[in-house]
Amino acid sequence: MYKTIELKALTDNYASLSEWLEGIIASFGISGKLANKINVCSEEIFVNIASYAYPEETGQVKVLLSKEGNEIILKFEDEGFEYNPLQKEDPDITLSYDKRPIGGLGIFMVKEMSKNVEYERKNNKNILTITFNTD
Amino acid sequence: MSSIEKKKFGTSELFIKPIGRIDVTSTPELENEVNSEIESISYLTIDMSEVDYISSVGLRALLSFQKQLASKGEMKIINVKPEVLEIFAMVGFDKVLNII
């Protein structure tokens, strides 16, 4: 059973999302590293959507969170232009600081912190599903 | 982030201690505090003892400070908590930042 929140895709709304997530994560009995990972992944995806999904009129983002057995499923849905963040090439994390580009870490961190990430385009929506293991 | 402690030693050394999360909401404040001094300083110490969360926006800010200071001085990151160190290691920042 998913808990759901719907927000306007604005970076300023991240604080509301974060507060909502903290409550649900705590109600699932999750804390420490896993809670941190869910929070970081949520921020990365939300900020990406807020920054890029709606270049003209700002739309909505729906965030869904559920615990099923030993898995936490975090889902993002937006109606912005079609974009699969998983196609973005991973950054070279072995480069020295002077050669490293300033950005490009967000999606890489989501992939590293989760068990699985899947993208689908359905009914004109971008749907990103991130799965975490609770153990 | 609830607040930032900031101390200046002489004219060239800045000490910054962020408290709480370094996320998309708080990073602009951290950037303002550091960028307002970065032209004049050569040494920056960031005390991470009260930080338990950092996202890519915060990492980007740290890398930007490092790039600006490397040619004229040094940036040191001190008292990093294990959960933040894990994120630094995940993105290779444990190799590029001067973590003490």
Side-chain angles (χ1 to χ4, degrees):
Chain A
M1 174 90 163
Y2 279 102
K3 307 274 185 190
T4 309
I5 189 170
E6 198 165 331
L7 298 158
K8 210 163 188 175
L10 296 170
T11 304
D12 283 352
N13 283 339
Y14 172 68
S16 307
L17 173 61
S18 165
E19 198 179 320
W20 177 81
L21 276 171
E22 296 264 343
I24 312 264
I25 290 169
S27 77
F28 288 165
I30 292 163
S31 59
K33 279 186 186 174
L34 179 58
N36 226 345
K37 286 178 182 172
I38 297 168
N39 280 312
V40 171
C41 292
S42 303
E43 181 181 335
E44 301 302 343
I45 301 302
F46 184 78
V47 170
N48 257 1
I49 294 171
S51 307
Y52 306 115
Y54 299 104
E56 285 161 18
E57 196 180 343
T58 305
Q60 298 289 114
V61 188
K62 195 168 166 186
V63 185
L64 305 97
L65 190 66
S66 114
K67 184 170 187 285
E68 288 167 25
N70 63 348
E71 286 187 342
I72 300 289
I73 300 157
L74 173 67
K75 219 181 255 252
F76 284 82
E77 296 182 7
D78 69 75
E79 295 178 1
F81 78 89
E82 184 170 355
Y83 177 62
N84 178 359
L86 303 177
Q87 284 176 348
K88 197 175 158 74
E89 204 176 318
D90 288 342
D92 182 352
I93 62 163
T94 63
L95 291 176
S96 61
Y97 74 87
D98 52 329
K99 297 197 174 63
R100 286 189 70 148
I102 288 283
L105 291 174
I107 287 295
F108 174 72
M109 287 166 73
V110 171
K111 289 193 225 167
E112 288 290 306
M113 287 182 167
S114 61
K115 179 184 157 197
N116 188 44
V117 193
E118 272 172 34
Y119 169 84
E120 63 177 327
R121 180 79 181 174
K122 203 169 152 187
N123 304 326
N124 287 325
K125 285 181 182 170
N126 295 305
I127 303 170
L128 196 72
T129 306
I130 307 166
T131 310
F132 303 88
N133 259 347
T134 54
D135 46 34
Chain B
M1 203 183 314
S2 49
S3 65
I4 297 176
E5 282 180 34
K6 183 175 179 180
K7 285 180 212 157
K8 189 101 184 260
F9 299 101
T11 53
S12 67
E13 203 176 337
L14 181 67
F15 172 90
I16 289 276
K17 184 176 174 182
I19 315 278
R21 293 165 59 117
I22 302 184
D23 62 15
V24 70
T25 308
S26 64
T27 298
E29 188 189 346
L30 175 66
E31 287 175 322
N32 284 343
E33 292 292 353
V34 174
N35 286 337
S36 63
E37 308 274 359
I38 209 154
E39 290 281 310
S40 62
I41 60 164
S42 302
Y43 300 94
L44 171 64
T45 300
I46 301 182
D47 183 343
M48 298 284 281
S49 59
E50 298 292 330
V51 175
D52 47 23
Y53 177 103
I54 188 163
S55 63
S56 70
V57 177
L59 294 170
R60 204 161 64 198
L62 296 183
L63 185 61
S64 158
F65 303 154
Q66 164 89 358
K67 283 183 185 242
Q68 290 177 79
L69 285 166
S71 59
K72 59 175 180 173
E74 188 181 30
M75 177 173 89
K76 281 192 278 196
I77 312 269
I78 63 168
N79 300 326
V80 183
K81 287 188 173 186
E83 53 268 47
V84 172
L85 198 56
E86 198 175 315
I87 292 176
F88 283 165
M90 182 185 296
V91 298
F93 272 34
D94 55 334
K95 308 277 193 313
V96 301
L97 299 178
N98 186 14
I99 299 167
I100 294 165

